[in-house]
Amino acid sequence: MSMKQNQFEAEYAELLSHIRAILQNPQHPLAHTLPQSYRRLCQCLALAQQRGYAPSLCEQLQELVQACHHLLYQHQTVAALSMRHMLLEEFPRRVRAHWIALSLAMLMFYGVALALALLVWWSPEWAYSFMPPAELSQMTENYSDAVRRKNGDESDFMMFAYYIWNNVSISFVAFASGLFGAVPTLLMLAFNGMHFGVVGAWLSANPATALNFWSFVITHGALELNGIVLCGQAGLYMGRVLLSPGRRPRREALSAAMQEMMPIIFGAASMVFVAAFFEGFFSASSLPPYFKIAFGSLLWLAVIVFFIFAGRRRA
Protein backbone atom coordinates (compact mmCIF):
# COMPACT_ATOMS: atom_id res chain seq x y z
CA MET A 1 0.00 0.00 0.00
CA SER A 2 1.43 3.37 -1.03
CA MET A 3 2.40 5.97 1.52
CA LYS A 4 -0.12 8.79 1.94
CA GLN A 5 0.99 12.29 1.06
CA ASN A 6 0.90 13.61 4.63
CA GLN A 7 3.12 10.72 5.78
CA PHE A 8 5.44 11.40 2.86
CA GLU A 9 5.72 15.08 3.77
CA ALA A 10 6.38 14.27 7.42
CA GLU A 11 9.13 11.78 6.55
CA TYR A 12 10.97 14.21 4.27
CA ALA A 13 10.26 17.42 6.23
CA GLU A 14 13.69 17.39 7.90
CA LEU A 15 15.46 16.93 4.55
CA LEU A 16 13.55 19.80 2.95
CA SER A 17 14.19 22.07 5.93
CA HIS A 18 17.89 21.22 5.80
CA ILE A 19 18.08 22.03 2.08
CA ARG A 20 16.20 25.32 2.46
CA ALA A 21 18.60 26.42 5.20
CA ILE A 22 21.58 25.81 2.93
CA LEU A 23 19.94 27.57 -0.01
CA GLN A 24 19.26 30.61 2.16
CA ASN A 25 22.82 30.61 3.48
CA PRO A 26 25.43 29.00 1.19
CA GLN A 27 27.97 29.45 4.01
CA HIS A 28 25.91 27.22 6.31
CA PRO A 29 28.09 24.94 8.49
CA LEU A 30 26.47 21.90 6.84
CA ALA A 31 26.73 23.22 3.28
CA HIS A 32 29.23 20.45 2.47
CA THR A 33 26.39 17.92 2.77
CA LEU A 34 24.38 19.51 -0.07
CA PRO A 35 25.49 16.99 -2.78
CA GLN A 36 24.19 14.06 -0.71
CA SER A 37 20.99 15.94 0.19
CA TYR A 38 20.52 16.87 -3.48
CA ARG A 39 20.58 13.21 -4.48
CA ARG A 40 17.98 12.34 -1.82
CA LEU A 41 15.85 15.27 -2.98
CA CYS A 42 15.91 13.97 -6.57
CA GLN A 43 14.77 10.57 -5.32
CA CYS A 44 12.06 12.28 -3.29
CA LEU A 45 10.80 14.17 -6.37
CA ALA A 46 10.76 11.01 -8.49
CA LEU A 47 8.82 9.17 -5.78
CA ALA A 48 6.25 11.97 -5.46
CA GLN A 49 5.70 12.06 -9.21
CA GLN A 50 5.43 8.28 -9.41
CA ARG A 51 2.78 8.17 -6.67
CA GLY A 52 0.77 11.01 -8.19
CA TYR A 53 0.91 13.37 -5.23
CA ALA A 54 -0.55 16.89 -5.44
CA PRO A 55 0.90 19.05 -8.25
CA SER A 56 1.71 21.78 -5.73
CA LEU A 57 3.98 19.40 -3.80
CA CYS A 58 5.69 18.20 -6.98
CA GLU A 59 6.23 21.80 -8.14
CA GLN A 60 7.68 22.69 -4.75
CA LEU A 61 10.11 19.78 -4.92
CA GLN A 62 10.97 20.62 -8.54
CA GLU A 63 11.86 24.21 -7.56
CA LEU A 64 14.12 22.95 -4.77
CA VAL A 65 15.84 20.54 -7.16
CA GLN A 66 16.51 23.35 -9.65
CA ALA A 67 17.81 25.66 -6.92
CA CYS A 68 20.18 22.97 -5.60
CA HIS A 69 21.39 22.19 -9.11
CA HIS A 70 22.10 25.87 -9.77
CA LEU A 71 23.97 26.32 -6.49
CA LEU A 72 26.09 23.19 -6.92
CA TYR A 73 27.13 23.89 -10.50
CA GLN A 74 27.63 27.58 -9.80
CA HIS A 75 30.17 26.63 -7.11
CA GLN A 76 31.94 24.27 -9.52
CA THR A 77 32.17 27.02 -12.14
CA VAL A 78 33.50 29.53 -9.63
CA ALA A 79 36.08 27.02 -8.40
CA ALA A 80 37.23 26.33 -11.96
CA LEU A 81 37.49 30.04 -12.71
CA SER A 82 39.39 30.63 -9.46
CA MET A 83 41.86 27.86 -10.31
CA ARG A 84 42.37 29.28 -13.78
CA HIS A 85 42.84 32.77 -12.35
CA MET A 86 45.39 31.53 -9.82
CA LEU A 87 47.46 29.70 -12.44
CA LEU A 88 47.29 32.20 -15.29
CA GLU A 89 47.12 35.47 -13.36
CA GLU A 90 48.26 35.29 -9.75
CA PHE A 91 51.03 32.75 -10.30
CA PRO A 92 53.18 34.82 -12.70
CA ARG A 93 52.23 38.06 -10.94
CA ARG A 94 53.49 36.88 -7.56
CA VAL A 95 56.61 35.34 -9.07
CA ARG A 96 57.48 38.81 -10.42
CA ALA A 97 56.40 40.57 -7.23
CA HIS A 98 58.93 38.66 -5.11
CA TRP A 99 61.79 39.20 -7.52
CA ILE A 100 64.46 39.35 -4.81
CA ALA A 101 63.73 35.78 -3.66
CA LEU A 102 63.45 34.72 -7.32
CA SER A 103 66.80 36.30 -8.21
CA LEU A 104 68.51 34.64 -5.26
CA ALA A 105 67.00 31.24 -6.14
CA MET A 106 68.07 31.57 -9.78
CA LEU A 107 71.57 32.66 -8.74
CA MET A 108 72.01 29.66 -6.45
CA PHE A 109 70.75 27.21 -9.08
CA TYR A 110 71.63 28.58 -12.51
CA GLY A 111 74.57 30.64 -11.29
CA VAL A 112 76.23 27.70 -9.57
CA ALA A 113 75.42 25.45 -12.55
CA LEU A 114 76.98 27.87 -15.03
CA ALA A 115 80.09 28.50 -12.91
CA LEU A 116 80.83 24.80 -12.44
CA ALA A 117 79.96 23.99 -16.05
CA LEU A 118 82.57 26.50 -17.23
CA LEU A 119 85.10 25.11 -14.75
CA VAL A 120 84.58 21.50 -15.85
CA TRP A 121 84.50 22.47 -19.51
CA TRP A 122 87.81 24.29 -19.14
CA SER A 123 89.40 21.55 -17.05
CA PRO A 124 87.42 18.24 -17.09
CA GLU A 125 89.36 16.71 -14.18
CA TRP A 126 87.54 19.12 -11.86
CA ALA A 127 84.45 16.97 -12.33
CA TYR A 128 85.98 14.33 -10.05
CA SER A 129 86.07 16.90 -7.25
CA PHE A 130 82.28 17.14 -7.23
CA MET A 131 81.10 13.70 -8.28
CA PRO A 132 82.56 10.18 -7.87
CA PRO A 133 84.14 8.63 -10.98
CA ALA A 134 81.67 5.74 -10.96
CA GLU A 135 78.72 8.14 -11.19
CA LEU A 136 80.32 10.09 -14.03
CA SER A 137 81.01 6.84 -15.89
CA GLN A 138 77.40 5.78 -15.40
CA MET A 139 76.20 9.09 -16.81
CA THR A 140 78.40 8.65 -19.86
CA GLU A 141 77.05 5.14 -20.40
CA ASN A 142 73.45 6.25 -20.01
CA TYR A 143 73.73 8.87 -22.74
CA SER A 144 76.17 7.19 -25.09
CA ASP A 145 73.62 5.27 -27.15
CA ALA A 146 73.00 6.61 -30.60
CA VAL A 147 69.28 6.06 -30.14
CA ARG A 148 67.61 6.80 -26.80
CA ARG A 149 65.67 4.16 -24.91
CA LYS A 150 62.20 3.22 -26.06
CA ASN A 151 60.96 0.11 -24.31
CA GLY A 152 57.23 0.45 -24.72
CA ASP A 153 54.27 1.92 -22.90
CA GLU A 154 54.69 -0.06 -19.69
CA SER A 155 58.30 1.02 -19.29
CA ASP A 156 57.39 4.61 -20.13
CA PHE A 157 54.68 4.61 -17.49
CA MET A 158 57.06 3.27 -14.86
CA MET A 159 59.58 5.97 -15.72
CA PHE A 160 56.81 8.57 -15.60
CA ALA A 161 55.93 7.43 -12.07
CA TYR A 162 59.61 7.60 -11.09
CA TYR A 163 60.01 11.10 -12.52
CA ILE A 164 56.88 12.24 -10.70
CA TRP A 165 58.31 11.03 -7.40
CA ASN A 166 61.75 12.48 -8.11
CA ASN A 167 60.50 15.89 -9.27
CA VAL A 168 57.97 16.28 -6.48
CA SER A 169 60.44 15.22 -3.78
CA ILE A 170 63.09 17.71 -4.94
CA SER A 171 60.54 20.51 -5.25
CA PHE A 172 59.05 19.73 -1.85
CA VAL A 173 62.46 19.82 -0.20
CA ALA A 174 63.27 23.11 -1.95
CA PHE A 175 60.15 24.68 -0.45
CA ALA A 176 59.87 22.90 2.90
CA SER A 177 63.51 23.50 3.84
CA GLY A 178 62.64 27.20 3.90
CA LEU A 179 60.60 26.52 7.04
CA PHE A 180 63.94 25.90 8.79
CA GLY A 181 65.37 29.22 7.59
CA ALA A 182 66.64 30.31 4.20
CA VAL A 183 70.03 28.57 4.42
CA PRO A 184 68.82 24.97 3.80
CA THR A 185 66.95 26.10 0.69
CA LEU A 186 70.04 27.90 -0.60
CA LEU A 187 72.17 24.80 -0.05
CA MET A 188 69.62 22.55 -1.72
CA LEU A 189 69.43 24.80 -4.80
CA ALA A 190 73.21 25.08 -4.97
CA PHE A 191 73.63 21.31 -4.73
CA ASN A 192 71.20 20.64 -7.57
CA GLY A 193 72.78 23.41 -9.62
CA MET A 194 76.20 21.88 -9.01
CA HIS A 195 74.99 18.46 -10.15
CA PHE A 196 73.36 19.85 -13.28
CA GLY A 197 76.34 22.01 -14.22
CA VAL A 198 78.96 19.29 -13.70
CA VAL A 199 76.99 16.60 -15.54
CA GLY A 200 76.04 18.96 -18.35
CA ALA A 201 79.63 20.05 -18.98
CA TRP A 202 81.01 16.52 -18.61
CA LEU A 203 78.60 15.06 -21.16
CA SER A 204 78.79 18.08 -23.48
CA ALA A 205 82.55 17.62 -23.82
CA ASN A 206 81.99 14.14 -25.25
CA PRO A 207 80.63 14.08 -28.85
CA ALA A 208 79.10 10.66 -28.19
CA THR A 209 76.86 11.97 -25.40
CA ALA A 210 76.36 15.71 -26.00
CA LEU A 211 73.43 15.50 -28.44
CA ASN A 212 71.65 12.75 -26.54
CA PHE A 213 71.96 14.61 -23.25
CA TRP A 214 70.71 17.99 -24.42
CA SER A 215 67.92 16.56 -26.57
CA PHE A 216 66.74 14.72 -23.46
CA VAL A 217 67.06 17.59 -20.97
CA ILE A 218 65.78 20.51 -23.03
CA THR A 219 62.35 19.01 -23.70
CA HIS A 220 61.28 19.00 -20.06
CA GLY A 221 63.90 21.27 -18.46
CA ALA A 222 61.90 24.45 -19.04
CA LEU A 223 59.22 23.13 -16.69
CA GLU A 224 61.21 20.93 -14.32
CA LEU A 225 64.21 23.16 -13.64
CA ASN A 226 62.19 26.35 -13.39
CA GLY A 227 59.60 24.60 -11.23
CA ILE A 228 62.34 23.64 -8.77
CA VAL A 229 63.67 27.21 -8.80
CA LEU A 230 60.18 28.60 -8.09
CA CYS A 231 59.74 26.17 -5.19
CA GLY A 232 63.07 27.48 -3.95
CA GLN A 233 61.77 31.03 -4.33
CA ALA A 234 58.78 30.18 -2.13
CA GLY A 235 61.06 28.46 0.39
CA LEU A 236 63.38 31.48 0.56
CA TYR A 237 60.42 33.79 1.13
CA MET A 238 59.12 31.58 3.92
CA GLY A 239 62.60 31.41 5.45
CA ARG A 240 62.93 35.18 5.43
CA VAL A 241 59.56 35.59 7.14
CA LEU A 242 60.54 32.95 9.70
CA LEU A 243 63.75 34.78 10.55
CA SER A 244 62.25 38.27 10.37
CA PRO A 245 58.48 38.25 10.96
CA GLY A 246 58.34 42.00 11.57
CA ARG A 247 55.83 43.36 14.07
CA ARG A 248 53.44 40.43 13.74
CA PRO A 249 53.69 37.23 15.79
CA ARG A 250 55.78 34.64 13.96
CA ARG A 251 52.87 32.23 13.56
CA GLU A 252 50.65 34.92 12.07
CA ALA A 253 53.43 36.10 9.76
CA LEU A 254 54.08 32.54 8.52
CA SER A 255 50.37 32.01 7.88
CA ALA A 256 50.21 35.19 5.82
CA ALA A 257 53.37 34.19 3.95
CA MET A 258 51.88 30.80 3.13
CA GLN A 259 48.80 32.48 1.70
CA GLU A 260 51.03 34.75 -0.38
CA MET A 261 53.11 31.85 -1.71
CA MET A 262 50.20 29.49 -2.42
CA PRO A 263 49.84 30.44 -6.13
CA ILE A 264 53.60 29.97 -6.62
CA ILE A 265 53.60 26.62 -4.83
CA PHE A 266 50.60 25.35 -6.79
CA GLY A 267 51.93 26.67 -10.09
CA ALA A 268 55.41 25.23 -9.56
CA ALA A 269 53.92 21.87 -8.56
CA SER A 270 51.89 21.88 -11.79
CA MET A 271 55.05 22.59 -13.77
CA VAL A 272 57.04 19.71 -12.31
CA PHE A 273 54.09 17.36 -12.77
CA VAL A 274 53.79 18.22 -16.47
CA ALA A 275 57.59 18.02 -16.77
CA ALA A 276 57.47 14.42 -15.52
CA PHE A 277 54.98 13.61 -18.26
CA PHE A 278 57.30 15.04 -20.93
CA GLU A 279 60.30 13.33 -19.37
CA GLY A 280 58.65 9.93 -19.26
CA PHE A 281 56.87 9.88 -22.62
CA PHE A 282 58.65 12.42 -24.84
CA SER A 283 62.21 13.18 -23.74
CA ALA A 284 63.32 9.53 -23.74
CA SER A 285 61.48 8.62 -26.94
CA SER A 286 63.11 7.65 -30.22
CA LEU A 287 62.07 10.91 -31.91
CA PRO A 288 64.86 12.70 -33.80
CA PRO A 289 67.10 14.62 -31.37
CA TYR A 290 66.91 17.86 -33.32
CA PHE A 291 63.12 17.72 -33.29
CA LYS A 292 63.19 17.41 -29.51
CA ILE A 293 65.68 20.27 -29.26
CA ALA A 294 63.45 22.49 -31.41
CA PHE A 295 60.40 21.60 -29.33
CA GLY A 296 62.27 22.18 -26.08
CA SER A 297 63.56 25.55 -27.29
CA LEU A 298 60.00 26.68 -28.07
CA LEU A 299 58.89 25.49 -24.63
CA TRP A 300 61.66 27.50 -22.95
CA LEU A 301 60.59 30.56 -24.94
CA ALA A 302 56.95 30.04 -23.96
CA VAL A 303 57.84 29.79 -20.27
CA ILE A 304 59.92 32.97 -20.40
CA VAL A 305 57.20 34.90 -22.23
CA PHE A 306 54.57 33.62 -19.79
CA PHE A 307 56.38 34.86 -16.70
CA ILE A 308 57.19 38.20 -18.29
CA PHE A 309 53.76 39.10 -19.66
CA ALA A 310 51.07 36.93 -18.02
CA GLY A 311 48.96 38.54 -15.31
CA ARG A 312 49.87 42.10 -16.24
CA ARG A 313 46.24 43.24 -16.36
CA ARG A 314 44.15 43.03 -13.23
CA ALA A 315 40.54 42.05 -13.49
Side-chain angles (χ1 to χ4, degrees):
M1 183 176 182
S2 62
M3 181 185 296
K4 294 182 179 179
Q5 181 172 327
N6 58 348
Q7 294 175 315
F8 176 88
E9 292 177 348
E11 180 174 346
Y12 290 100
E14 183 178 355
L15 172 65
L16 301 183
S17 176
H18 173 71
I19 292 176
R20 289 192 182 98
I22 296 177
L23 292 175
Q24 292 175 359
N25 178 23
Q27 304 301 323
H28 193 280
L30 296 178
H32 65 280
T33 64
L34 183 60
Q36 294 87 345
S37 300
Y38 173 64
R39 287 192 291 269
R40 289 188 59 200
L41 179 64
C42 291
Q43 296 171 356
C44 179
L45 172 61
L47 190 61
Q49 292 173 337
Q50 179 185 1
R51 292 175 176 174
Y53 290 149
S56 59
L57 174 61
C58 294
E59 291 176 2
Q60 179 185 2
L61 295 175
Q62 182 67 45
E63 290 176 358
L64 286 177
V65 166
Q66 293 175 350
C68 289
H69 182 275
H70 176 73
L71 181 61
L72 286 171
Y73 282 88
Q74 181 186 47
H75 283 175
Q76 291 181 8
T77 303
V78 169
L81 291 175
S82 299
M83 190 70 67
R84 179 180 179 275
H85 174 76
M86 183 169 64
L87 280 176
L88 301 183
E89 301 287 337
E90 287 301 321
F91 176 33
R93 185 179 298 144
R94 297 196 190 186
V95 167
R96 293 191 299 267
H98 301 285
W99 61 271
I100 296 178
L102 175 63
S103 300
L104 187 56
M106 293 181 68
L107 178 64
M108 295 305 296
F109 185 84
Y110 290 117
V112 170
L114 179 60
L116 291 181
L118 292 174
L119 179 64
V120 173
W121 180 268
W122 180 263
S123 183
E125 62 269 14
W126 273 102
Y128 297 110
S129 300
F130 300 97
M131 296 179 63
E135 189 172 351
L136 290 171
S137 298
Q138 184 64 47
M139 287 289 179
T140 302
E141 181 180 349
N142 290 343
Y143 291 95
S144 62
D145 297 333
V147 180
R148 292 291 297 156
R149 174 195 60 83
K150 186 64 179 175
N151 293 328
D153 295 338
E154 182 179 357
S155 177
D156 285 342
F157 182 80
M158 292 178 63
M159 293 307 297
F160 168 65
Y162 167 77
Y163 292 137
I164 282 286
W165 169 255
N166 183 68
N167 293 357
V168 170
S169 61
I170 294 176
S171 302
F172 176 78
V173 172
F175 165 71
S177 56
L179 299 176
F180 299 94
V183 174
T185 299
L186 292 174
L187 294 176
M188 184 270 176
L189 290 171
F191 174 80
N192 283 275
M194 176 272 293
H195 188 272
F196 179 65
V198 171
V199 170
W202 178 264
L203 296 177
S204 297
N206 186 345
T209 58
L211 183 60
N212 285 333
F213 173 74
W214 288 110
S215 65
F216 176 80
V217 171
I218 195 172
T219 52
H220 62 273
L223 298 175
E224 179 184 323
L225 301 181
N226 289 315
I228 293 173
V229 169
L230 294 177
C231 286
Q233 176 193 18
L236 291 175
Y237 183 83
M238 297 295 296
R240 184 194 67 79
V241 172
L242 176 68
L243 297 175
S244 179
R247 297 183 178 182
R248 293 179 295 181
R250 183 166 279 104
R251 179 178 297 181
E252 180 182 337
L254 285 174
S255 177
M258 180 65 75
Q259 292 289 335
E260 180 69 16
M261 289 295 104
M262 189 57 64
I264 297 180
I265 297 169
F266 186 81
S270 302
M271 290 175 66
V272 298
F273 179 85
V274 176
F277 177 84
F278 278 114
E279 194 170 2
F281 295 99
F282 185 81
S283 300
S285 70
S286 58
L287 290 170
Y290 289 106
F291 174 79
K292 291 190 285 187
I293 290 176
F295 176 85
S297 300
L298 291 176
L299 190 57
W300 270 95
L301 180 61
V303 169
I304 293 172
V305 169
F306 173 76
F307 284 109
I308 291 177
F309 295 105
R312 292 287 183 181
R313 295 183 301 174
R314 291 185 177 272

